[in-house]
């Protein structure tokens, strides 16, 4: 089976606008709401959402952070190779705030469980919501569901869902591909401009 395009750039753009609109409906002024992008891939989606909130709705006061969950995962000791942590950047207290976690793909739910544990270091949120671009709804290991979701995907367990972002892959797209295919095979190589 070859890779299949689930979402192209235009479709992703429409979904992002819808997700931003849903956030504004539930959080009109973001006065007591913070956005946390889950490292590494949720950060790209969070940045896009923040850009839309600013450009389309004039909301510029959103507190935004990035949360690394590497050492909060329940499987981090099972890796053969040493893990490289990403940066956590949260320079505000989340105590009694409404927190919106943003991640690109909701799969087993383990990453979100890890994020729920990790965020406690920054205070006790009043409420936590989850925004995802892709929900692999039949792959859940934990009872975690998104509050805001771009698209549900029914992928069997040996298939992968890969989100590509213009900033790192040179395109906005979502692919469904066989498990054995490596990410290197489907990421377009950036042309050397030197």
């Amino acid at each position: 089976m070859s890779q299949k395009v689930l979402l192209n750039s235009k479709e992703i753009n429409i979904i992002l606008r819808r997700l931003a609109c849903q956030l504004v409906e539930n959080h009109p002024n973001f006065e007591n709401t913070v956005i946390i992008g889950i490292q590494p891939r949720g950060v790209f989606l969070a940045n896009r959402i923040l850009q839309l909130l600013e450009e389309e709705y004039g909301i510029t006061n959103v507190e935004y952070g990035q949360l690394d969950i590497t050492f909060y995962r329940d499987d981090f000791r099972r890796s053969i190779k040493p893990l490289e942590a990403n940066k956590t950047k949260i320079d505000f207290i989340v105590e009694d705030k409404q927190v919106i976690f943003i991640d690109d793909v909701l799969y087993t739910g383990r990453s979100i469980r890890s994020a729920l544990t990790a965020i406690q270091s920054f205070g006790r949120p009043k409420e936590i919501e989850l925004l995802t671009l892709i929900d692999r709804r039949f792959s859940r290991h934990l009872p975690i569901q998104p509050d805001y979701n771009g698209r549900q995907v029914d992928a069997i367990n040996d298939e992968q869902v890969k989100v590509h972002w213009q900033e790192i892959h040179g395109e906005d797209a979502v692919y469904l591909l066989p498990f054995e295919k490596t990410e290197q095979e489907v990421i377009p190589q950036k042309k050397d401009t030197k």
Side-chain angles (χ1 to χ4, degrees), residues 125-139:
K126 178 180 179 182
E127 181 181 336
I128 298 177
E129 295 179 329
L130 175 60
L131 181 149
T132 61
L133 180 63
I134 301 293
D135 174 14
R136 291 188 57 162
R137 62 182 177 162
F138 296 133
S139 304

Side-chain angles (χ1 to χ4, degrees), residues 22-194:
Q22 290 174 339
L23 285 177
V24 171
E25 287 175 359
N26 292 333
H27 306 273
N29 57 15
F30 280 82
E31 187 176 293
N32 201 39
T33 302
V34 301
I35 289 180
I36 306 286
I38 298 177
Q39 287 276 27
R41 304 187 68 88
V43 170
F44 297 104
L45 177 56
N47 287 335
R48 293 290 187 86
I49 294 292
L50 286 166
Q51 183 181 357
L52 284 170
L53 291 175
E54 183 174 338
E55 292 175 1
E56 305 277 325
Y57 299 97
I59 299 171
T60 58
N61 61 332
V62 182
E63 289 188 291
Y64 169 61
Q66 299 175 358
L67 181 64
D68 178 61
I69 58 167
T70 303
F71 298 112
Y72 291 91
R73 294 183 59 90
D74 57 8
D75 60 353
F76 87 91
R77 286 191 173 96
R78 296 180 182 187
S79 179
I80 297 171
K81 60 182 181 180
L83 295 177
E84 293 182 28
N86 295 287
K87 290 182 181 176
T88 289
K89 184 183 179 199
I90 300 176
D91 54 6
F92 48 85
I93 302 296
V94 300
E95 189 76 27
D96 288 327
K97 298 272 180 82
Q98 293 177 303
V99 173
I100 301 168
F101 281 149
I102 296 185
D103 206 1
D104 63 346
V105 178
L106 177 58
Y107 182 29
T108 63
R110 293 184 183 277
S111 293
I112 303 307
R113 186 212 53 84
S114 302
L116 291 168
T117 302
I119 199 66
Q120 299 299 318
S121 300
F122 300 91
R124 183 180 178 190
K126 178 180 179 182
E127 181 181 336
I128 298 177
E129 295 179 329
L130 175 60
L131 181 149
T132 61
L133 180 63
I134 301 293
D135 174 14
R136 291 188 57 162
R137 62 182 177 162
F138 296 133
S139 304
R140 209 77 75 245
H141 295 176
L142 300 170
I144 293 172
Q145 301 301 325
D147 299 281
Y148 310 95
N149 182 43
R151 179 166 174 192
Q152 288 184 328
V153 173
D154 300 335
I156 58 176
N157 286 331
D158 63 347
E159 293 175 324
Q160 293 182 358
V161 176
K162 291 290 181 187
V163 179
H164 287 192
W165 296 108
Q166 180 70 39
E167 299 86 282
I168 54 171
H169 301 106
E171 66 170 349
D172 287 340
V174 179
Y175 293 99
L176 180 67
L177 57 148
F179 181 73
E180 64 273 5
K181 208 177 224 353
T182 65
E183 187 170 337
Q184 185 178 13
E185 292 177 273
V186 296
I187 295 176
Q189 300 297 317
K190 289 192 175 181
K191 294 178 181 155
D192 191 5
T193 56
K194 293 180 183 177

